[in-house]
Amino acid sequence: MLVLGFGTIGWHRIIGCCDARNRASARLMERIGMRREARFVHNQIVKGQWADELVYAILDHEWSWRG
């Protein structure tokens, strides 16, 4: 998706969000170079319970194709 967004479409910024309890998703975004920018406390209801949401982002000049 980063190749498409930055390389083909020419976006400047890409964001990703996940449930804070989903450590696998958070680790994936960190591994591809995204930085955590926010934690929204009790921001959404997931399976009937309030959950925190993490927001990650990366800018075009921060991203490099890792092949």
Side-chain angles (χ1 to χ4, degrees), residues 18-32:
C18 70
D19 184 326
R21 298 171 294 185
N22 188 340
R23 290 303 308 150
S25 290
R27 281 192 308 270
L28 172 64
M29 287 186 271
E30 291 166 1
R31 192 168 57 246
I32 63 173

Side-chain angles (χ1 to χ4, degrees), residues 33-67:
M34 299 178 87
R35 82 181 146 283
R36 191 168 109 181
E37 293 194 335
R39 180 185 192 107
F40 296 113
V41 177
H42 287 192
N43 189 54
Q44 56 189 355
I45 295 179
V46 178
K47 296 181 182 178
Q49 295 182 335
W50 283 105
D52 294 359
E53 180 179 21
L54 300 177
V55 179
Y56 286 81
I58 189 169
L59 299 174
D60 55 356
H61 70 271
E62 296 171 327
W63 176 77
S64 64
W65 171 249
R66 292 178 173 85

Side-chain angles (χ1 to χ4, degrees), residues 1-11 63:
M1 293 310 297
L2 297 179
V3 172
L4 177 66
F6 291 137
T8 304
I9 299 172
W11 287 339
W63 176 77

